[in-house]
Amino acid sequence: MSRAAAALLAAGLAVRLAYGVVAPPGGRGGPMPDPDGYAGLAASFARDGSLSDAQGNPSALREPGYPLALGAVFKVTGPGYPGVLALNLALGAAVLFLLWRLGERWFGPPVGLTALALGAFYPPFLFHGAQPMRETALAAFSLGVVAAVSRAAELGTARAWALAALVTVAAALTNTTF
């Protein structure tokens, strides 16, 4: 990774962190909203290993990938916004890295840097990176599938195709359209 790419990646993560701290969902000091129920499912997983709704009933309302990942983070951080922000920052780093890597591999370094720069400061990416929602995970898995399948097609090995299949299966746990 070039110095310019590393600097853009760092800037993109710094902007995401700053936005998440300055404009958390629900406002500063307020309760974290859970518009899609992912944080509640994650808290349930962190607490007792289940994906249960607020009434304690097992729920299949949402795909399990993001709540399971967030629940694993909640086991370390405790349920709440710091865990959401930490997971979304890690997923945002994956998004930015993959934007750069795919752009550079397919079209050359200038396109890779441009893709990274656009992704680093794209307002919807910043907004969703601060929300207890799966959109950042969807972007990361979408790009991960493209990168893994592209690499498998390039290498043509069974191992590369198996990895692409695993990435795609993991993506399906975040969105059934995969």
Side-chain angles (χ1 to χ4, degrees), residues 98-107 141-157 159-168:
L98 289 168
L99 284 171
W100 165 75
R101 185 73 178 116
L102 289 168
E104 183 177 77
R105 184 186 309 159
W106 291 346
F107 304 106
F141 276 111
S142 296
L143 290 167
V145 168
V146 171
V149 169
S150 170
R151 186 75 173 147
E154 186 179 292
L155 296 175
T157 65
R159 184 177 180 173
W161 282 111
L163 178 61
L166 288 174
V167 172
T168 304

Side-chain angles (χ1 to χ4, degrees), residues 61-80:
L61 181 62
R62 301 285 178 213
E63 293 90 346
Y66 184 70
L68 290 174
L70 185 57
V73 172
F74 281 177
K75 283 186 178 281
V76 174
T77 66

Side-chain angles (χ1 to χ4, degrees), residues 87-162:
L87 177 60
N88 286 351
L89 282 171
L91 292 167
V95 167
L96 295 177
F97 176 81
L98 289 168
L99 284 171
W100 165 75
R101 185 73 178 116
L102 289 168
E104 183 177 77
R105 184 186 309 159
W106 291 346
F107 304 106
V111 172
L113 283 175
T114 301
L116 175 55
L118 291 171
F121 304 107
Y122 184 54
F125 284 179
L126 301 178
F127 173 79
H128 285 290
Q131 303 301 312
M133 300 164 70
R134 70 177 179 179
E135 276 66 16
T136 304
L138 286 174
F141 276 111
S142 296
L143 290 167
V145 168
V146 171
V149 169
S150 170
R151 186 75 173 147
E154 186 179 292
L155 296 175
T157 65
R159 184 177 180 173
W161 282 111

